[in-house]
Amino acid sequence: MTRKYIYIDVYLCNGCGSCSEICPEVFALDDVEKAYLLDCDAEITAKVEEAAIYCAQKCIYFE
Ligand code: SF4
């Protein structure tokens, strides 16, 4: 089975900070208020999935 990775569409990201509140181990906001991954190789845990579900812009995805 091919491993999936976490992606953020930063064009859509509105910097709400919800992902970094739900899962600060993986998501953070940069100085222009766009989310980024602290670890590009991070596991897709339940918290990561929760962050994706609650992302208002639906711009966290797995591929
Ligand atoms: S929850 Fe979505 S819109 Fe909000 S900061 Fe994170 S990636 Fe951006």
Side-chain angles (χ1 to χ4, degrees), residues 5-57:
Y5 292 88
I6 308 163
Y7 293 90
I8 301 168
D9 185 332
V10 290
Y11 181 76
L12 292 178
C13 173
N14 67 6
C16 72
S18 164
C19 56
S20 58
E21 277 176 33
I22 292 170
C23 189
E25 305 82 11
V26 174
F27 300 96
L29 288 187
D30 66 16
D31 51 11
V32 291
E33 307 267 295
K34 294 285 185 180
Y36 69 95
L37 297 171
L38 293 167
D39 176 5
C40 295
D41 207 27
E43 293 283 319
I44 302 171
T45 61
K47 281 284 184 195
V48 170
E49 286 180 343
E50 190 182 339
I53 288 166
Y54 285 101
C55 171
Q57 297 297 106

